[in-house]
Amino acid sequence: MKKRAPTVCPIVYALDIWGDPWSLIILRDVLIHNKRHYREFLASREGIATNILSARLQSLTDAGLLVKIEGASSRAQTMYRPTQKALDLIPVVFAVMHWGLKYNPNTDMDIPIMQELISNEKGLERRLLKNFDDVTS
């Protein structure tokens, strides 16, 4: 992605990092679905192309939202883990989900996380954060 000159606007700053659809979907997969490996991201129902996935993982790593942990014996073992900077986006991801729930008539309400978001958002956040006890500031 083409980078613009540094900005004083916090909205522009945020969107420059995670404002494209694929980056936000990858963040959703990391934060909500606890995906860690390239093949898991590739298997998402949205069907991201391999070149776009590689580029977005790299840009999220460069922006300090993900940490790339190289596999000991193969690239297939390489993991991506969120940083605290990414974990701080959980309320933002929830807000986007709430907006989508309100306005998207095609939302699949049979997905358990949608029910949990509506009925126990704070509990959902606590449950998700337990997946990342290893993350330090």
Side-chain angles (χ1 to χ4, degrees):
M1 291 187 304
K2 185 178 179 184
K3 295 290 183 185
R4 70 176 99 231
T7 179
V8 296
C9 177
I11 292 173
V12 173
Y13 171 80
L15 292 177
D16 278 349
I17 295 173
W18 52 262
D20 70 276
W22 291 116
S23 292
L24 197 52
I25 289 168
I26 291 167
L27 288 170
R28 174 207 64 190
D29 284 351
V30 169
L31 298 172
I32 298 203
H33 300 299
N34 199 20
K35 292 185 180 183
R36 299 174 184 210
H37 300 279
Y38 186 89
R39 67 185 174 277
E40 293 173 313
F41 299 118
L42 204 54
S44 293
R45 75 168 57 169
E46 292 80 16
I48 189 170
T50 57
N51 61 323
I52 295 172
L53 176 58
S54 294
R56 295 310 182 271
L57 286 169
Q58 185 62 54
S59 69
L60 291 169
T61 301
D62 291 346
L65 292 170
L66 298 179
V67 174
K68 182 178 181 179
I69 304 165
E70 299 288 345
S73 61
S74 77
R75 280 186 15 195
Q77 294 176 332
T78 298
M79 290 193 312
Y80 293 88
R81 298 288 288 155
T83 63
Q84 186 60 52
K85 190 174 181 179
L87 294 178
D88 288 344
L89 285 171
I90 288 176
V92 174
V93 172
F94 284 178
V96 171
M97 290 171 69
H98 278 295
W99 186 89
L101 285 169
K102 183 174 181 179
Y103 293 106
N104 180 3
N106 299 315
T107 298
D108 184 354
M109 292 308 296
D110 292 332
I111 299 172
I113 201 152
M114 297 303 171
Q115 293 297 326
E116 195 174 0
L117 179 69
I118 293 168
S119 65
N120 187 11
E121 184 174 329
K122 285 297 178 191
L124 172 60
E125 184 173 359
R126 281 191 302 275
R127 182 176 67 76
L128 294 174
L129 286 171
K130 285 181 183 178
N131 293 322
F132 310 111
D133 286 340
D134 60 319
V135 173
T136 59
S137 295

